[in-house]
Amino acid sequence: MMKDVIIKEFEYNQAGLDELKEKTANGEKNLEESILFEYPTVYIINDDKKDKYRQKYNVYVGETNNIYQRTSQHLKDDIKSREDWELLLKAQQAKMYVVGHEHFNKSMTLDLEDKLMLYMSSVESVKALYNRRTNQQKYYYPHEEAQDIFNSMWNKLNKKNSILFPDMALLQNLAIFKASPFHKLTEEQLFAKEQILTTVKEALKKEETGQLVMVSGEAGAGKTVLMSNIFNELVNGKENLKIHLLVNHDEQVKVYEQISKKLGWGEKAVLKPTTFINNHQKQNAKVDVVFVDEAHLLWTQGKQSYRGKNQLDDLLGLAKVVIIIFDKNQVLNTTQIVEEKKLELLEQKAKESGNFIHLKNQMRMDAEKETIEWIRNLIDEQKVTILRKKDEKYDLQVFDSPYELEENIKKKNKLDVDSDYENGISRMIATYDWEYKAKGTDEDGKPWRVKIGDWEKPWNNQIKRKKRKNKSIAYDMSWAEQPETIEEVGSTYTVQGSDLNYAGVIIGPSVKYRDGKIVFDKEKHANKAALYNRTLSNGKKQSFAEELMRNELNVLLTRGVHGLYIYAVDDELRKVLKKALQY
């Protein structure tokens, strides 16, 4: 019995269609031909263009019960109404891979179509992905085989064209992969999605602005994937909505801009909040829907080019629906503080209209419950509890020196790195306890750096990037994906919203252990934006330094997917952390 996938390559033109017709019409077929031309199949159409630096592909992913009829439709009918099909037809070297398997049925081919779009939307050489629909499948027979079949299919395609189909593990490491709208949603996410889409549908019928949808949940709860999925569905809907995705985080802006280019979201679909607010207020231009990823980074007072009082209030005045991802435990500086009373009113507003969604599942850290609870106690309760059971899935270690931390993170990074791939994503990151400026050097003429005794490493974005033939590589990738950054230390501002395979966290001198509890020493903290007092709406000044320093620890300690390595500068903290791991 045939148990492996079958892949056959055809030219995507009239000659290829004629070959398909001949194969389909042939009455006597062997098993392989029968599987390709009579069973459901998935297929990938691609052209092959070289730009100035590298190969670039326009790609369409599809599935069908009749590959000949579907190809004929694409070549003869679809070109009349869609520019993307016309471009594929005019390409001189367009190809089509047809994939079959004896266990394919409609549900499985739809499932594999989604998986293909997830991976292909993350491939650097894919310039545009034309099929952008999602058809998430739940349970079907034999759904338990789908992942193994997909792995086999991708590996065979990789052997045919490694540029278009790179190693799967490499793609899984990328920030663009992790933010892709094509991930299969959990039951919790699906329920939230339907709730949000219903709210949007009802709000669009009205001329009012200011409907608020609030999605909360801890770091790693799947909020970004949910938002990306819904945004992609609405962008590609038939309603032609005026819709924008706003991000205040530089690294995340890069990621969403890459996704936007590949999926055709539109030139100004992804913007920073200040740019969006300034442009739309100036023109008095209202929109239908605004999504805000990491809305806890919105400014709540005037800053730089933003002269308003509160970015969220401004957005609510410009859009019929504002959908925000909000985690108050990830606010990092005073300009982002939402006063407790204001936050309660926002939550109440969302709850009253049934638009408050809390995601409970932890999806980033591949760790057992006891390990996650130990980390949460450290952050939320500022207590170091005893962890007696070794986590077989998650590597948690405390080191005696920054040298040991660096050595072990580099070992893990090397394991992350394939022999043909230089970008692992295990990195060192640290609390903001050493001075940093975006430009210039320190008083010694050296890059701004983290310095502990005679050990030192530059802060993020201090090392000059190598020149490459592909000039965009150092700029399109997030900080952690750039190979040189293994020699740097990332800050909370750089890694917030990102995943690391292993996070090597340096807990600086501002975090101490005294009298049985973790305490914060703001005199040792270098982030001035977290230290100055905030003038509240009642005119009183208040410090939020301790809260913001705790949030910083929250961001850093929840970055690692497979492991967390810690070095604490404070002797007492380091000793009690080491003693706590009793396994």
Side-chain angles (χ1 to χ4, degrees):
M1 178 179 286
M2 187 172 295
K3 295 182 179 179
D4 205 356
V5 295
I6 304 161
I7 300 176
K8 187 167 179 60
E9 189 175 341
F10 296 89
E11 293 180 29
Y12 182 70
N13 53 27
Q14 185 60 48
L17 184 63
D18 291 341
E19 184 181 358
L20 279 171
K21 183 177 182 180
E22 181 184 344
K23 298 282 187 183
T24 305
N26 180 17
E28 296 183 6
K29 297 181 178 66
N30 58 35
L31 181 57
E32 180 176 309
E33 290 172 334
S34 179
I35 287 170
L36 283 174
F37 304 113
E38 294 179 334
Y39 281 51
T41 55
V42 294
Y43 59 95
I44 305 107
I45 301 170
N46 66 270
D47 61 8
D48 182 359
K49 291 185 176 181
K50 284 187 173 68
D51 68 8
K52 190 175 180 181
Y53 299 104
R54 60 208 181 279
Q55 283 177 281
K56 278 289 189 183
Y57 297 92
N58 294 318
V59 175
Y60 180 89
V61 174
E63 61 78 36
T64 181
N65 287 329
N66 188 316
I67 188 62
Y68 167 71
Q69 286 185 2
R70 181 60 60 85
T71 307
S72 178
Q73 175 188 335
H74 291 329
L75 285 167
K76 296 178 179 179
D77 298 329
D78 291 339
I79 59 168
K80 298 173 184 175
S81 57
R82 284 178 51 174
E83 184 182 358
D84 46 10
W85 285 112
E86 190 176 0
L87 288 171
L88 285 171
L89 179 61
K90 289 179 178 179
Q92 294 181 347
Q93 295 184 342
K95 306 280 187 184
M96 180 169 70
Y97 296 99
V98 181
V99 184
H101 190 282
E102 59 185 333
H103 288 180
F104 275 4
N105 56 43
K106 185 70 171 178
S107 293
M108 184 180 284
T109 54
L110 285 168
D111 201 6
L112 294 177
E113 179 186 41
D114 262 17
K115 289 180 186 293
L116 274 169
M117 289 190 290
L118 168 61
Y119 281 82
M120 302 225 70
S121 64
S122 308
V123 175
E124 197 276 334
S125 64
V126 172
K127 182 179 180 181
L129 183 65
Y130 291 145
N131 185 0
R132 299 180 283 272
R133 65 178 183 173
T134 55
N135 288 292
Q136 180 166 330
Q137 303 298 300
K138 293 179 71 174
Y139 297 110
Y140 55 87
Y141 179 79
H143 70 89
E144 66 278 0
E145 294 182 8
Q147 189 60 53
D148 287 340
I149 290 175
F150 179 80
N151 293 348
S152 176
M153 171 177 65
W154 189 274
N155 290 335
K156 284 195 168 189
L157 289 166
N158 169 260
K159 289 176 182 176
K160 290 178 178 292
N161 186 339
S162 61
I163 297 174
L164 184 56
F165 304 99
D167 187 278
M168 288 175 63
L170 309 183
L171 297 176
Q172 291 163 359
N173 277 338
L174 299 176
I176 188 174
F177 179 89
K178 291 166 183 175
S180 171
F182 302 119
H183 285 280
K184 181 174 278 193
L185 301 183
T186 64
E187 291 291 335
E188 182 182 47
Q189 289 171 317
L190 283 170
F191 183 81
K193 177 179 177 177
E194 289 307 312
Q195 191 174 341
I196 292 169
L197 289 176
T198 299
T199 296
V200 170
K201 185 178 179 180
E202 292 302 313
L204 292 177
K205 296 176 183 177
K206 306 172 185 177
E207 292 303 316
E208 303 169 3
T209 58
Q211 177 84 272
L212 175 67
V213 178
M214 200 169 184
V215 182
S216 74
E218 293 177 358
K223 304 184 294 293
T224 292
V225 166
L226 171 65
M227 184 201 62
S228 177
N229 181 284
I230 299 172
F231 184 84
N232 185 63
E233 185 161 320
L234 291 175
V235 164
N236 291 301
K238 297 177 181 178
E239 295 85 358
N240 292 319
L241 300 178
K242 294 176 182 175
I243 179 170
H244 294 271
L245 171 56
L246 308 182
V247 198
N248 229 355
H249 191 283
D250 290 339
E251 297 297 318
Q252 288 299 94
V253 169
K254 291 179 189 176
V255 173
Y256 285 122
E257 284 178 343
Q258 289 180 65
I259 295 174
S260 180
K261 287 175 185 176
K262 290 176 185 288
L263 302 186
W265 283 354
E267 188 179 345
K268 294 185 179 179
V270 179
L271 292 169
K272 281 200 163 187
T274 299
T275 303
F276 174 83
I277 291 168
N278 289 348
N279 290 347
H280 284 73
Q281 283 185 339
K282 186 177 181 180
Q283 299 169 17
N284 193 27
K286 303 294 173 71
V287 300
D288 295 309
V289 188
V290 163
F291 287 77
V292 187
D293 192 12
E294 301 197 66
H296 39 269
L297 301 182
L298 289 173
W299 296 333
T300 56
Q301 63 182 52
K303 179 182 176 182
Q304 296 171 358
S305 58
Y306 174 67
R307 298 304 178 197
K309 293 182 178 179
N310 186 297
Q311 288 186 324
L312 180 55
D313 288 344
D314 288 344
L315 294 175
L316 288 167
L318 289 169
K320 290 182 178 179
V321 186
V322 178
I323 302 164
I324 66 171
I325 304 291
F326 193 91
D327 181 359
K328 66 179 182 180
N329 295 323
Q330 292 197 61
V331 174
L332 295 178
N333 70 55
T334 311
T335 61
Q336 298 160 355
I337 287 287
V338 179
E339 292 181 38
E340 198 62 37
K341 213 173 255 187
K342 170 79 171 175
L343 185 57
E344 287 174 3
L345 288 172
L346 286 173
E347 289 185 1
Q348 183 181 346
K349 179 178 181 177
K351 286 174 180 176
E352 285 176 354
S353 53
N355 292 331
F356 184 84
I357 297 163
H358 182 71
L359 299 181
K360 298 177 182 178
N361 294 332
Q362 165 57 243
M363 297 176 66
R364 173 183 291 131
M365 299 166 63
D366 187 18
E368 293 176 2
K369 180 182 177 183
E370 292 81 3
T371 305
I372 293 174
E373 286 179 351
W374 186 86
I375 295 170
R376 292 259 46 107
N377 278 329
L378 202 69
I379 300 164
D380 302 333
E381 306 299 325
Q382 294 166 237
K383 292 180 180 178
V384 182
T385 55
I386 301 299
L387 188 61
R388 301 185 188 280
K389 181 184 175 186
K390 182 175 176 60
D391 195 325
E392 298 302 322
K393 298 189 296 180
Y394 195 83
D395 190 9
L396 176 60
Q397 295 188 49
V398 178
F399 294 98
D400 290 317
S401 76
Y403 288 103
E404 289 181 23
L405 179 77
E406 179 186 359
E407 179 185 0
N408 281 275
I409 280 295
K410 284 186 172 179
K411 281 180 181 176
K412 285 300 180 185
N413 188 65
K414 192 172 183 181
L415 292 174
D416 292 340
V417 178
D418 185 84
S419 58
D420 296 319
Y421 187 67
E422 58 184 348
N423 300 319
I425 56 165
S426 292
R427 292 291 184 269
M428 290 179 289
I429 53 182
T431 53
Y432 199 160
D433 291 349
W434 293 267
E435 193 173 358
Y436 170 82
K437 293 179 182 177
K439 295 180 180 179
T441 56
D442 68 7
E443 58 188 15
D444 298 324
K446 290 186 176 182
W448 300 102
R449 62 202 188 280
V450 174
K451 196 173 188 326
I452 304 166
D454 57 359
W455 182 91
E456 58 181 53
K457 282 287 172 186
W459 269 122
N460 41 235
N461 301 316
Q462 295 293 290
I463 293 178
K464 190 175 181 180
R465 304 300 182 242
K466 293 177 183 176
K467 288 186 177 181
R468 295 175 173 84
K469 288 184 179 179
N470 173 7
K471 293 193 295 187
S472 67
I473 192 168
Y475 305 101
D476 291 343
M477 289 182 170
S478 64
W479 173 81
E481 293 168 333
Q482 299 176 41
E484 294 89 351
T485 61
I486 190 61
E487 297 295 341
E488 295 180 332
V489 179
S491 72
T492 39
Y493 291 105
T494 306
V495 297
Q496 189 171 35
S498 301
D499 292 353
L500 299 171
N501 281 350
Y502 291 81
V505 180
I506 298 171
I507 301 178
S510 70
V511 187
K512 306 177 186 295
Y513 190 76
R514 301 290 185 269
D515 302 320
K517 192 173 183 180
I518 291 172
V519 295
F520 297 98
D521 181 357
K522 65 180 183 180
E523 298 300 320
K524 298 290 186 180
H525 202 55
N527 183 12
K528 294 176 183 177
L531 299 179
Y532 68 80
N533 291 341
R534 171 72 180 265
T535 303
L536 304 180
S537 54
N538 61 9
K540 291 183 178 180
K541 293 184 181 295
Q542 182 176 333
S543 171
F544 291 90
E546 185 170 323
E547 177 184 333
L548 297 174
M549 290 165 72
R550 184 171 57 246
N551 287 353
E552 179 180 50
L553 204 58
N554 176 53
V555 171
L556 295 174
L557 294 179
T558 57
R559 289 308 98 193
V561 175
H562 302 300
L564 170 62
Y565 293 170
I566 299 173
Y567 170 76
V569 172
D570 180 67
D571 290 337
E572 289 187 46
L573 178 57
R574 186 169 66 255
K575 287 173 185 175
V576 76
L577 288 173
K578 286 208 76 174
K579 191 176 179 181
L581 305 184
Q582 296 185 4
Y583 48 75

